[in-house]
């Protein structure tokens, strides 16, 4: 067994059985090792698709995927979506190919400081020193990636460590930690006192707390105390829809967020921080809460929110309180012009039970996602890192994690263009992804932000950097070029019908929503 | 005048009058400053297009372009082509937006260690500390980028430094160094002794030496001494074709390169190093020269090759020797099946005088570019850094640098997919770029490299990571999606005709060569 074979075998031993790959010459032995039948390898035509797909996979599975990237530049191409994954606390194991040690000293063309490129966005970076240690290196990488919160682990694999003999393969135990840390009882007790005060309180949930039992327990706290429940504007993954506890959403725009938060005397955080503005503006605050609002932490990132809420309910004597669950809103198919409201109504009517909604719709979806809380139960995934081009890769990875669930990927046209190569992988793998392109032919968000920044109305040169209508992207042709069937819609009823149609057959579909 | 206006004004004062931009919220004041009529701003839909275009612009102009990138992830998306530019000694000025200083301490979502991301691939990195110093910062950045060899200068621009008052605008002198350094007379004298020995000598040229007067002087040395002239396999820019001094090309494959080099007793380098293998292989050498071959430097990178050759010719008493110039080979239009030879023949017949050839054809063009040395005079640009996805952006930048010259961009299908968004900018700006996609539906180079690595014949899983034929990319649809006219050819005569046709009208064209 050579080093590459030991690496792949150890990945699968440790439960990592998918690899999003964009290989090059230095990874040929790795490719050979991917013949291991326990590993599924998925080819992506750009590295940002690999890393974004690993993010989406983790969000749905809760366990890390691996990526295969070609030297420093291959890693560099994946960094923007590693940034997004890191901010979403998604674990992943990046394997970055490298020249052999003996070759590196000649500074061949593809040489770069891979550790230097990896460190700013990785929690853990290591270079394999010998094929005989690669199994330990990989087991350590998987353990780090599997921590709660998930970590970015980057392992650099020189060619000689890949092709040389690794010796007998050790079957290593999992080195991953046993689970989330216990919350601090004193903090829980303090939050109980806050809630007993009866003063207006907002509990902000994130991380593991926006789904499953933690979410249901949060609903009991709300029912028992009158505290309101919310998320930040962007959250890694929310279970929502009929039968779930509904979380409010703190608005994105600074003015609206300040207005929303001003009535609360207390903010309680669960796996997140107090609300801050996404960007800075000349005349707007960074911290969004009102002066005098207290901020208390119920559970830190990586602490167990289920335990925290159970302890809190015990302290409140409210363990038996029933949560208020979201009712199913009647599905009304809208008709007529496409706009934020009719788009959201069409979505609410079309989303099948158990689907996954990946949202990078920016301006189009920003104000109206609330209209879908009464839809059939589904998962909502958002971009925690703010680097656009995250949605189509994340949808790709989510579909591989959950092959029986349809993924709806809502994405603005500008955002979609960053990592549009995702469509090809979706076609190749026959993934159940419905990509919804909101084609307003503009980085529309920047028009609003231009004014928000106090820059006035954009002049012709500035507008030329914001509008992407010359040429207008032909989305039907784009989808066709990569083997994805596509349809264009320009009314709310056609949009609804196209979404429903996309669920009737296996495989990807693209819907251009003409705005 | 605010900081952003001071920045753009200083860029243009210092001769940088083009900006390849992909802006975000933190750069709105920069967008406003781009209304400056002396600055041309070119929108790119992905940052790798911005940085690759800046590389192509520098290669043809010899002066740096600027890029506008959105925070750390925007820079990250541009890094692979910054790597390629750095290896080609192309100067560029990257302006990276950043949160305002007061906002940064809250670690908002788009925060990352921008300096950390920039340093591995930049020669110079600075963060603007005040709008009042931004003019000096920019002038310094331009000076660094303008050094010989060209440098990567990265300036981080916080939002508050952009929107705050900068005071009176200083018209700064150019801080750029006056030109290349003089070569060392002792080294020149030593090379003269080597050449006078009459022993077989290969002079390897790169940098500024592969064009203009330096190239012509090198031809005189060859005529006077019998030394042969060559380039590395990849060179930043070569002036070649009829009437020029023709340079041989050291082969890419290790075995062929060793065979090519084994007859030389001496290697003389001009702005390059001795030949090294691109990758390392288990049973192949890294250094390609024969044992006992001496290596002597005539001019180091950044030294003046014109002066070096003039001094050398004086030392040899051969200043008046006429160089041997390439004859025009009769243009014969090939017919029949498309293969490496007929493709090169069609190119040789079709290339118009003064065109620019950007080559990322990898397997298709690797062995046959020699067949085009007798074509009409043209410039050939190659990838020095090895990160694929360089050609379509570089062609975009070269076309903007030389609007009167047609650019032919030869690119493999796999490579083209990394930065395919270039087509949109080409359509938007009406650029004279003929993109030639060699569609073999495969990372064909990896099939050869798999065997070269001693990994044997690829199995089905490995092949699935190498073949990109499921689905086959529809290049006509891809071009149409971004507003570029396209044609598909499957014979040598059709390929020739399509190239000639593409030169008849202004604007971009895509030719799919079906292999």
């Amino acid at each position: 067994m050579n080093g590459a074979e030991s690496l792949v075998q150890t990945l699968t031993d440790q439960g990592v059985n998918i690899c999003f790959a964009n290989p090059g010459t230095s990874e040929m032995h790795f490719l050979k090792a991917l013949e291991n039948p326990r590993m599924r390898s998925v080819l992506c035509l750009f590295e940002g698709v690999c890393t974004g797909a690993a993010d989406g996979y983790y969000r749905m599975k809760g366990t890390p995927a691996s990526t295969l990237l070609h030297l420093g530049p291959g890693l560099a191409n994946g960094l923007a979506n590693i940034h997004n994954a890191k901010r979403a606390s998604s674990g992943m194991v990046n394997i970055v190919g490298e020249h052999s040690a003996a070759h590196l000293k000649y500074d061949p063309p593809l040489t770069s400081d891979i550790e230097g490129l990896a460190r700013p966005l990785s929690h853990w970076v290591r270079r394999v020193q010998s094929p005989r240690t690669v199994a330990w290196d990989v087991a350590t990488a998987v353990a780090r990636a599997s921590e709660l919160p998930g970590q970015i682990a980057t392992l650099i694999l020189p060619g000689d460590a890949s092709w040389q003999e690794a010796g007998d393969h050790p079957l290593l135990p999992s080195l991953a930690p046993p689970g989330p840390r216990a919350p601090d009882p004193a903090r829980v007790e303090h939050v109980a006192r806050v809630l007993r005060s009866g003063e207006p309180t907002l509990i902000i949930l994130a991380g593991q707390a926006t789904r499953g039992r933690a979410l249901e327990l949060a609903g009991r706290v709300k029912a028992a105390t009158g505290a309101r429940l919310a998320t930040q504007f962007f959250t890694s993954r929310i279970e929502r829809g009929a039968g779930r506890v509904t979380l409010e959403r703190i608005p994105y725009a600074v003015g609206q967020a300040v207005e929303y938060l001003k009535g609360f005397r207390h903010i309680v955080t669960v796996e997140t921080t107090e609300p801050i503005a996404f960007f800075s503006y000349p005349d707007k605050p960074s911290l969004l809460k009102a002066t005098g609002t207290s901020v208390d932490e119920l559970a830190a990132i990586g602490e167990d929110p289920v335990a925290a809420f159970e302890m809190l309910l015990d302290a409140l004597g409210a363990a038996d309180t029933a949560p208020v669950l979201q009712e199913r809103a009647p599905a009304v198919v809208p008709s007529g012009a496409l706009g934020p409201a009719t788009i959201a109504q069409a979505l609410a009517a079309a989303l099948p039970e158990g689907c996954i909604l990946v949202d990078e719709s920016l301006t189009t979806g920003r104000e109206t996602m609330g209209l879908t809380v009464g839809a059939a139960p589904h998962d909502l995934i958002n971009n925690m890192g703010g680097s656009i081009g995250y949605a189509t890769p994340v949808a790709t990875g989510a579909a591989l994690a959950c092959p029986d669930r349809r993924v709806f990927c809502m994405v603005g046209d500008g955002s979609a263009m960053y990592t549009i190569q995702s469509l090809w992988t979706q076609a190749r793998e026959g993934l159940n992804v419905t990509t919804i392109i909101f084609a307003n032919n503009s980085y529309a968000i920047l028009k609003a932000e231009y004014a928000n920044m106090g820059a006035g109305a954009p002049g012709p040169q500035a507008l030329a950097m914001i509008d992407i209508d010359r040429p207008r992207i032909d989305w039907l042709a784009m989808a066709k070029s990569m083997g994805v069937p596509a349809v264009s819609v320009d009314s709310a009823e056609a949009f609804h019908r196209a979404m429903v149609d996309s669920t009737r057959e296996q495989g990807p579909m693209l819907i251009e929503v003409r705005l």
Side-chain angles (χ1 to χ4, degrees), chain A:
Chain A
M1 181 172 281
N2 65 25
E5 288 160 343
S6 176
L7 184 149
V8 173
Q9 184 70 28
T10 307
L11 280 173
T12 62
D13 289 346
Q14 300 285 324
V16 178
N17 47 28
I18 192 163
C19 181
F20 297 101
N22 186 265
T25 295
S26 41
E27 294 85 47
M28 289 299 99
H29 292 85
F30 194 124
L31 274 204
K32 189 176 175 75
L34 287 177
E35 300 288 346
N36 186 324
R38 292 159 66 195
M39 178 63 82
R40 178 171 189 177
S41 41
V42 176
L43 179 60
C44 305
L45 298 186
F46 178 69
E47 296 88 344
V49 181
C50 298
T51 54
D55 182 7
Y57 187 89
Y58 182 93
R59 296 215 204 184
M60 295 312 301
K61 279 273 198 197
T63 58
S66 60
T67 68
L68 167 53
L69 309 171
H70 182 47
L71 299 155
L75 170 63
N77 279 337
L79 284 175
N81 273 331
I82 290 176
H83 168 84
N84 287 331
K86 185 182 183 207
R87 290 278 165 171
S89 298
S90 294
M92 75 174 68
V93 178
N94 300 304
I95 312 290
V96 184
E98 169 63 302
H99 293 303
S100 66
H103 194 57
L104 206 49
K105 63 174 172 286
Y106 300 110
D107 191 33
L110 265 165
T111 307
S112 64
D113 174 5
I114 303 180
E115 280 91 342
L117 290 166
R119 280 205 188 97
L121 295 168
S122 300
H123 298 91
W124 180 93
V125 180
R126 184 182 288 178
R127 177 177 292 252
V128 176
Q129 299 295 338
S130 156
R132 295 182 181 268
T133 60
V134 73
W136 280 104
D137 294 331
V138 172
T140 307
V142 176
R144 287 304 305 269
S146 304
E147 287 182 16
L148 283 175
Q151 308 276 299
I152 308 297
T154 301
L155 186 63
I156 302 166
L157 179 68
D160 46 356
S162 193
W163 68 58
Q164 290 171 355
E165 178 58 35
D168 291 338
H169 177 70
L171 183 56
L172 301 175
S174 170
L175 308 177
R181 286 171 287 124
D184 176 356
R187 276 195 269 113
V188 175
E189 186 48 52
H190 178 73
V191 169
R193 277 196 300 276
V194 165
L195 290 170
R196 279 192 295 258
S197 76
E199 294 177 333
T201 300
L202 184 68
I203 305 177
I204 308 177
L205 293 83
Q208 309 292 310
T210 55
R211 48 195 205 247
R213 180 154 167 75
L215 179 59
E216 192 258 337
L217 293 170
R220 290 175 194 261
V221 172
K222 174 183 177 179
T225 66
R228 280 160 65 187
L229 305 176
T231 64
Q232 307 281 4
F233 192 76
F234 295 121
T235 300
S236 172
R237 178 179 152 207
I238 303 173
E239 289 180 353
R240 68 202 288 271
R244 264 93 180 248
V245 172
T246 290
L247 304 172
E248 301 175 42
R249 191 179 193 187
I250 301 171
Y252 180 87
V254 172
Q256 293 173 31
V258 167
E259 181 65 25
Y260 175 86
L261 292 170
K262 75 176 183 188
F264 295 105
R265 179 72 186 81
H266 305 280
I267 287 174
V268 173
T269 61
V270 184
E271 297 197 70
T272 187
T273 63
E274 70 168 285
I276 54 168
F278 208 86
F279 287 106
S280 50
Y281 304 86
D283 58 353
K284 294 184 170 66
S286 291
L287 294 180
L288 302 175
K289 69 172 187 289
T291 310
T293 299
S294 76
V295 179
D296 292 294
E297 186 171 65
L298 177 64
I301 296 176
E303 291 182 350
D304 185 350
V306 172
F309 279 120
E310 284 174 342
M311 291 158 69
L312 181 61
L313 284 164
D314 279 346
L316 293 167
D320 295 331
T321 310
V324 177
L325 302 180
Q326 175 70 44
E327 288 186 12
R328 181 76 164 95
V332 178
V333 179
S335 64
L338 284 161
T342 53
I343 285 170
Q345 288 157 0
L347 265 173
L351 294 183
E353 184 165 341
C355 73
I356 300 163
L357 194 54
V358 179
D359 186 16
E360 194 175 24
S361 61
L362 301 182
T363 45
T364 305
R366 179 156 290 178
E367 310 303 335
T368 54
M369 282 301 291
L371 297 176
T372 60
V373 293
H378 61 276
D379 283 50
L380 174 66
I381 288 176
N382 255 300
N383 186 1
M384 303 285 288
S387 180
I388 63 179
Y390 105 104
T392 66
V394 164
T396 304
L400 280 155
C402 302
D404 299 331
R405 300 172 66 176
R406 168 75 39 182
V407 180
F408 290 84
C409 175
M410 297 168 48
V411 57
D413 45 6
S415 300
M417 283 301 289
Y418 286 73
T419 45
I420 193 62
Q421 302 92 338
S422 308
L423 294 180
W424 185 86
T425 297
Q426 292 171 15
R428 183 180 188 81
E429 302 287 335
L431 303 182
N432 296 322
V433 179
T434 304
T435 299
I436 301 165
I437 304 279
F438 292 111
N440 57 17
N441 309 297
S442 167
Y443 293 123
I445 189 170
L446 295 186
K447 291 187 183 172
E449 294 289 40
Y450 200 90
N452 287 339
M453 281 286 176
Q461 281 306 310
L463 270 180
M465 299 297 103
I466 293 176
D467 283 325
I468 60 173
D469 59 340
R470 290 175 295 117
R472 190 181 164 125
I473 294 161
D474 181 337
W475 286 101
L476 300 185
M478 180 65 80
K480 179 167 186 273
S481 74
M482 288 181 269
V484 172
V487 62
S488 185
V489 299
D490 55 8
S491 73
E493 60 270 29
F495 176 45
H496 174 265
R497 191 168 54 244
M499 282 190 283
V500 172
D501 287 348
S502 76
T503 67
R504 295 193 204 280
E505 289 186 34
Q506 297 289 305
M509 163 69 78
L510 181 142
I511 302 170
E512 180 199 23
V513 178
R514 292 191 163 230
L515 299 173

